[in-house]
């Protein structure tokens, strides 16, 4: 996928000129903003305390939690592009809980919780991040990453179902 | 004394963040731009000040939110709110559910649909079209999504056009995003 390609377009396989492409064209502004947010969440100019590689790795985890193969491949490619540093690659392993690294442990625990069961999140979950030394601004960056990727995957799932309509 | 709200309601609570909102006095030029702060408009909610910590998503998120909920044509505004409510129920975001349920009620001038949904969820006895919308929104909001071809076909049978279905997908998904911020970064307090 090249830098300028729309992720949802590619993942859903929206054919130019198809009926679905026509419908989506009516909401082109939203699709453009979605792609821009994707880039802002995954590859921000100022990544703060979450590197591009870590963001790709955590997004890959979220794709796995959502059981979405095409998004897994997409984020895996982004992780490779970010140089696949060992620490980040580890974070993408769904069976890895961060081990003895308190920061990785807290990040992974929170991503898994908010991706899968946000209803169960409480004040204590934010305190655990703070106790692991994660700054409030990075807690917000992490939350936006999980929240946005959860949104983008659902848009793609919905569009794939629309594609099945006659 | 302040009290955390745990049950779905149409009385909009006050949202109290768990993290420290951005101090406007310390905001960067990019943050002020994304917040649209001007000398005559300096009232920014704590929620938006929290999100301003991540300005590179916030600057796109605000226009995206408005486009999904208020763009012309397509699904009615009230039915977009129903997609938001369906997601907010699955994710138990009391605050989002309250805001968007009350907006639905204002737009439809009816309180029965939301009352039935808060009482019985997807089993609520509501018009078939609304039931198909709610059912799809709830299933798409699960993790992983449980929406399938039958749920999509039910939307078509209920009379939704493709443009309307697209808007429903967008408003439901948008609240998969909003709920994961609002419900995890703060709590609803009864005023």
């Amino acid at each position: 996928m090249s830098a300028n390609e729309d992720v949802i377009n590619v993942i859903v396989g929206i054919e130019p000129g198809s009926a679905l492409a026509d419908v989506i064209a009516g909401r082109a502004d939203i699709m453009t903003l979605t792609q821009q947010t994707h880039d802002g969440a995954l590859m921000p100019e100022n990544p703060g305390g979450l590197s591009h590689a870590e963001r790709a790795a955590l997004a890959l985890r979220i794709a796995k939690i959502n059981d979405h193969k095409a998004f897994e491949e997409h984020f895996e490619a982004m992780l490779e592009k970010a140089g696949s540093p060992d620490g980040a690659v580890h974070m993408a392993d769904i069976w890895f809980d961060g081990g003895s690294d308190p920061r990785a442990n807290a990040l992974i625990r929170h991503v898994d919780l908010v991706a899968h069961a946000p209803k169960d999140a409480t004040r204590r979950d934010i305190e655990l991040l703070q106790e692991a030394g994660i700054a409030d601004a990075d807690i917000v960056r992490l939350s936006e990453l999980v929240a946005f990727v959860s949104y983008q995957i659902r848009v793609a799932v919905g569009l794939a179902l629309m594609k099945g309509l006659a | 004394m302040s009290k955390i709200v745990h049950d779905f309601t149409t009385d909009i609570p006050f949202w109290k963040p768990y993290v420290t909102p951005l101090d406007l006095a310390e905001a960067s030029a990019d943050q002020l731009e994304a917040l649209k702060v001007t000398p005559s408009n300096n009232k920014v909610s704590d929620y938006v000040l929290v999100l301003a910590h991540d300005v590179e998503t916030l600057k796109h998120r605000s226009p995206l939110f408005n486009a999904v909920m208020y763009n012309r044509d397509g699904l009615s505004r009230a039915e977009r709110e129903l997609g938001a409510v369906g997601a907010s129920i699955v994710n138990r975001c009391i605050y989002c559910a309250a805001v968007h349920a009350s907006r639905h009620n204002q737009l439809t001038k009816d309180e029965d649909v939301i009352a039935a949904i808060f009482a019985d969820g997807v089993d609520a006895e509501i018009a078939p079209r609304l039931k198909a919308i709610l059912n799809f929104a709830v299933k798409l909001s699960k993790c992983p999504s449980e929406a399938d071809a039958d749920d999509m076909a039910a939307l078509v049978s209920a009379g939704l056009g493709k443009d309307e279905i697209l808007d429903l997908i967008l408003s439901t998904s948008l609240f998969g995003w909003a709920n994961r911020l609002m419900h995890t970064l703060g709590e609803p307090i009864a005023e």
Side-chain angles (χ1 to χ4, degrees):
Chain A
M1 201 175 298
S2 80
N4 296 321
E5 271 184 317
D6 184 281
V7 172
I8 288 181
N9 250 330
V10 173
I11 283 180
V12 180
I14 300 165
E15 301 291 338
S18 64
L20 183 57
D22 278 356
V23 178
I24 293 171
R27 295 291 183 242
D29 54 343
I30 295 170
M31 304 316 283
T32 301
L33 287 163
T34 297
Q35 180 63 32
Q36 287 170 337
T37 314
H38 167 275
D39 298 345
L42 273 301
M43 301 171 294
E45 283 173 35
N46 169 17
L50 281 176
S51 71
H52 288 185
E54 286 174 334
R55 287 165 188 257
L58 294 171
L60 173 49
R61 253 189 119 81
I62 300 163
K64 288 175 181 171
I65 291 167
N66 279 277
D67 196 18
H68 201 296
K69 294 283 174 289
F71 269 101
E72 285 180 34
E73 285 166 21
H74 168 65
F75 293 124
E76 199 147 21
M78 290 191 80
L79 180 56
E80 275 168 33
K81 223 172 136 190
S84 301
D86 287 348
V89 169
H90 238 113
M91 277 188 190
D93 176 356
I94 206 78
W95 301 111
F96 178 64
D97 70 355
S100 57
D101 174 356
R103 178 177 170 274
N105 202 284
L107 292 174
I108 287 171
R109 181 188 173 282
H110 199 69
V111 165
D112 290 2
L113 171 73
V114 176
H116 181 66
K119 67 182 169 62
D120 295 334
T122 67
R123 170 188 291 275
R124 184 70 197 131
D125 298 302
I126 296 298
E127 289 170 353
L128 287 172
L129 292 168
Q130 291 165 333
E131 286 166 16
I134 297 161
D136 278 6
D138 289 332
I139 292 174
V140 176
R141 291 181 177 108
L142 180 72
S143 304
E144 281 281 16
L145 177 70
V146 188
F148 171 76
V149 173
S150 300
Y151 155 84
Q152 192 176 29
I153 289 174
R154 278 166 185 76
V155 173
V157 166
L159 292 178
L161 288 171
M162 275 189 88
K163 212 178 155 187
L165 293 174
Chain B
M1 211 186 83
S2 64
K3 194 170 161 293
I4 302 167
V5 186
H6 292 291
D7 296 317
F8 290 120
T9 171
T10 52
D11 293 331
I12 300 173
F14 163 80
W15 187 78
K16 192 175 161 207
Y18 300 144
V19 296
T20 310
L22 174 75
D23 179 353
L24 264 187
E26 290 171 14
S28 68
D30 275 359
Q31 284 170 325
L32 291 175
E33 163 79 27
L35 292 167
K36 304 269 182 274
V37 174
T38 61
S40 61
N41 175 26
N42 54 14
K43 294 253 187 296
V44 185
S45 70
D46 268 355
Y47 178 57
V48 176
L49 287 173
V50 163
L51 299 188
H53 284 303
D54 188 16
V55 68
E56 292 182 59
T57 56
L58 177 66
K59 66 182 175 188
H60 304 303
R61 184 194 167 282
S62 302
L64 190 150
F65 187 99
N66 290 331
V68 169
M69 298 309 284
Y70 310 120
N71 258 358
R72 293 195 298 134
D73 306 328
L75 194 64
S76 72
R77 278 188 55 192
E79 288 174 333
R80 294 184 206 188
E81 299 292 355
L82 211 52
V85 169
S88 302
I89 288 175
V90 171
N91 298 323
R92 278 206 82 78
C93 185
I94 303 291
Y95 185 91
C96 296
V99 169
H100 296 279
S102 65
R103 237 173 244 172
H104 177 274
N105 288 353
Q106 284 164 9
L107 290 162
T108 59
K109 300 185 172 45
D110 170 81
E111 296 184 356
D112 295 348
V113 169
I114 292 296
I117 292 171
F118 280 178
D120 299 318
V122 286
D123 297 325
E125 288 191 20
I126 51 178
R129 177 176 166 109
L130 301 182
K131 212 173 166 71
I133 289 174
L134 179 69
N135 182 58
F136 182 81
V138 164
K139 285 189 163 180
L140 185 63
S141 300
K142 298 282 172 74
C143 180
S145 162
E146 291 174 8
D148 62 19
D150 289 345
D151 303 315
M152 181 57 65
L155 292 174
V156 176
S157 304
L160 277 83
K162 285 182 181 166
D163 55 337
E164 293 179 303
I165 294 174
L166 173 59
D167 284 346
L168 177 62
I169 291 167
L170 291 170
S171 68
T172 301
S173 302
L174 179 67
F175 277 80
W177 181 353
N179 296 159
R180 281 177 174 82
L181 297 172
M182 206 102 203
H183 179 65
T184 68
L185 289 170
E187 62 197 355
I189 307 288
E191 295 248 41

